[in-house]
Amino acid sequence: MTSTIEAPRSPHSRSTKKSGVNLEKWGWIYMRVSGVVLVVLIFGHLFVNLMIGEGVSALNFAFVAGKLTNPFWMVWDVILLWLALIHGGNGMRTLVNDYATARISRGILKVAILVSVVSLIVLGTLVVFTFDPCPAGAPADLVASFCSSL
């Protein structure tokens, strides 16, 4: 017969189960999932912009205007923008948690990251959805071909 002897436990070493959502776990999962999705979105973006058609020489205002009139590419670009900014902001938050030693500096840095990410998401989303592909007074050779009346 074999008997096992357990080491005595201190009252502080007991596992206390916290109730609620584990934000660090979900942040970790988000980084992995968004990283995979971002790879697909980025390579799709690069392939369409650089490989299809005339390549880099075709990249001008008219090309971007034509892309941003298509709802598919608008959603593609907004998803790419949101995922990349949140992914980067979460990565920066992790770095701040790891390397900022003082509690107050950690808090200030995390608020600065949050403000930056939210500001860029709002501005980028506004640009995509309020973009005017046919600006008044623009030279005809620079605007998209679907802008008939200038």
Side-chain angles (χ1 to χ4, degrees), residues 23-57:
L23 292 178
E24 288 298 323
K25 177 183 90 171
W26 286 107
W28 185 88
I29 291 170
Y30 174 80
M31 292 298 276
R32 273 62 192 169
V33 172
S34 68
V36 171
V37 175
L38 278 168
V39 166
V40 172
L41 291 172
I42 290 167
F43 281 111
H45 176 84
L46 290 173
F47 181 76
V48 167
N49 289 342
L50 303 177
M51 304 298 280
I52 293 179
E54 299 173 33
V56 176
S57 61

Side-chain angles (χ1 to χ4, degrees), residues 109-122:
L109 289 169
K110 288 198 285 190
V111 167
I113 292 167
L114 179 65
V115 168
S116 300
V117 168
V118 169
S119 299
L120 290 171
I121 285 175
V122 168

